[in-house]
């Protein structure tokens, strides 16, 4: 694989135990527990981790800042929502954390539906939602790269705004990368002009080819020591999901975006697509990263990920449960194959 490929993990950010089949341990969401995940990522070859967002979950930026303070190389990919944040407030917070961590901040802009009234936000139709997102991203980028910014847009206004501390340029990196996902036409228009990294759910190769010019990838996989063990574990997990009707997996069950609807429809094409893309979880797990899994030995999954890389994908966000043990297993077994 290309040596420019980057591999991040996913850190659960949920007050409820057992997220996506994780071990329901005591203090599962304590700072010590989450720090153990972040430090394991540092020690087993990972660049960092996505930390999810949504009303009813702990504040993502606070979690990211806390983990960054307890680590040295861990890079949080901080999911945030326009509307929950205003551009200047967010630009200042992110610039401060980027300064304090020596440039370790990455940002995932999320425009999907949320419980907006709970935190006093509102938005119109899809066109309005993505127009606001686009304006948010453009204004934040200006605040990071310019001084005395004045802007009077349709959704946000600032006058004579200079964010401090200033973002320090680090080689070609002028500011934290913007990661952005979405499969609708409106989302893709925003991604094409504003995102540094286009995120995409784990779809079959033919689905990825349809959008490759604007695509960098988000994927999920299940790695075990042998192919047979991986499939036995995957099928056992799906059986448990069926028994519990997907409890603990429905991150996106309230309102499904276009990309999540595409994922949920995949199992209608078969339980296994391509070589080892397992779609059966979508029958029970809701939309999102728990919907499709790459299943197999480390060698099996590495071969599949190389096929995505061959399409031009360079950024991967991977995960499996139990999170902590899989950070170590896949860091030790899978990542060396991808970097070889």
């Amino acid at each position: 694989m290309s040596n420019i490929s980057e591999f991040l993990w996913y850190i659960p950010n949920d007050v409820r135990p057992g997220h996506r089949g994780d071990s329901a341990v005591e203090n599962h969401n304590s700072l010590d527990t989450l720090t153990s995940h972040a430090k394991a990522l540092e020690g087993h070859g990972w660049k960092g981790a996505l930390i999810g967002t949504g009303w009813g979950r702990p504040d993502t930026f606070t979690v990211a800042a806390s983990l960054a303070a307890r680590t040295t190389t861990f890079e949080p990919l901080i999911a945030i929502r326009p509307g929950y944040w205003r551009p200047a407030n967010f630009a200042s917070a992110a610039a401060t954390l980027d300064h304090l961590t020596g440039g370790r901040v990455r940002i995932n802009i999320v425009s999907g539906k949320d419980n907006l009234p709970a935190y006093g936000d509102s938005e119109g139709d899809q066109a309005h939602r993505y127009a606001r997102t686009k304006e948010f991203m453009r204004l934040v980028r200006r605040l990071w790269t310019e001084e005395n910014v004045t802007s009077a847009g349709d959704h946000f206004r600032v006058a004579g705004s200079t964010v401090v501390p200033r973002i320090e340029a680090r080689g070609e990196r002028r500011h934290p990368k913007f990661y952005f996902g979405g499969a609708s036409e409106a989302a893709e228009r925003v991604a094409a002009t504003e995102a540094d990294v286009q995120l995409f759910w784990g779809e079959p190769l033919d689905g990825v080819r349809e959008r490759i010019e604007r695509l960098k990838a988000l994927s999920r996989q299940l790695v075990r020591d042998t192919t047979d063990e991986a499939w036995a574990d995957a099928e056992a997990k799906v059986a448990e999901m069926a028994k519990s009707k997907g409890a603990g997996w429905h991150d996106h069950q309230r309102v499904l975006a276009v990309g999540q609807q595409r994922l949920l429809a995949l199992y209608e094409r078969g339980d296994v697509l391509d070589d080892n893309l397992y779609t059966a979880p979508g029958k029970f797990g809701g939309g999102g990263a728990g919907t499709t899994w790459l299943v197999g030995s480390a060698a099996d999954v590495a071969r599949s990920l190389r096929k995505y890389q061959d399409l031009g994908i360079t950024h991967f966000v991977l995960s499996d449960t139990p999170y902590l043990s899989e950070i170590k297993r896949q860091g030790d077994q899978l990542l060396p194959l991808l970097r070889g």
Side-chain angles (χ1 to χ4, degrees), residues 70 98 104 126 198 233 260 303-304 306 309 337:
R70 287 195 166 196
D98 199 65
R104 287 192 274 146
Q126 184 190 65
Q198 164 87 19
D233 199 352
Q260 294 154 14
R303 280 193 296 270
S304 295
R306 286 193 185 96
Q309 196 272 346
L337 298 177

Side-chain angles (χ1 to χ4, degrees), residues 71-144:
T71 53
T72 55
T73 62
F74 169 77
E75 298 189 12
L77 174 52
I78 308 170
I80 68 103
R81 293 176 182 272
Y84 182 97
W85 288 89
R86 295 190 64 79
N89 302 103
F90 174 72
S92 176
T96 300
L97 186 59
D98 199 65
H99 166 71
L100 294 174
T101 61
R104 287 192 274 146
V105 170
R106 299 165 183 242
I107 304 300
N108 177 25
I109 301 293
V110 180
S111 287
K113 294 289 187 177
D114 196 20
N115 186 6
L116 305 183
Y119 51 87
D121 189 25
S122 62
E123 57 189 19
D125 58 14
Q126 184 190 65
H128 179 277
R129 176 157 49 98
Y130 281 105
R132 185 176 74 161
T133 296
K134 183 173 185 175
E135 187 175 311
F136 182 95
M137 295 171 73
R138 284 191 171 182
L139 182 51
V140 170
R141 185 179 277 111
R142 285 190 64 194
L143 290 164
W144 281 341

Side-chain angles (χ1 to χ4, degrees), residues 26-98:
E26 186 177 0
N27 298 320
H28 74 283
N29 205 46
S30 69
L31 181 55
D32 284 345
T33 298
L34 296 179
T35 298
S36 72
H37 289 218
K39 288 188 173 180
L41 289 163
E42 287 187 321
H44 292 269
W46 301 92
K47 192 77 170 177
L50 169 64
I51 305 174
T53 188
W55 190 253
R57 302 171 80 171
D59 176 71
T60 309
F61 203 94
T62 304
V63 172
S66 299
L67 295 180
R70 287 195 166 196
T71 53
T72 55
T73 62
F74 169 77
E75 298 189 12
L77 174 52
I78 308 170
I80 68 103
R81 293 176 182 272
Y84 182 97
W85 288 89
R86 295 190 64 79
N89 302 103
F90 174 72
S92 176
T96 300
L97 186 59
D98 199 65

Side-chain angles (χ1 to χ4, degrees), residues 230-294:
W231 279 107
D233 199 352
E235 289 168 355
K237 283 190 176 188
V238 170
E240 286 299 315
M241 291 167 66
K243 286 168 57 177
S244 65
K245 298 182 179 179
W249 292 79
H250 295 298
D251 290 355
H252 303 273
Q253 198 68 5
R254 186 179 294 114
V255 180
L256 294 178
V258 172
Q260 294 154 14
Q261 293 169 355
R262 285 168 61 107
L263 283 184
L264 288 173
L266 287 176
Y267 73 81
E268 297 174 358
R269 295 169 50 186
D271 281 355
V272 182
L273 303 179
D274 294 338
D275 296 324
N276 56 342
L277 185 67
Y278 193 32
T279 66
K283 299 176 184 178
F284 313 106
T291 311
T292 56
W293 308 345
L294 287 174

Side-chain angles (χ1 to χ4, degrees), residues 184-205:
S184 69
E185 183 179 353
E188 288 189 342
R189 284 198 300 268
V190 174
T193 59
E194 308 305 324
D196 299 298
V197 179
Q198 164 87 19
L199 290 175
F200 197 51
W201 301 117
E203 288 199 24
L205 295 167

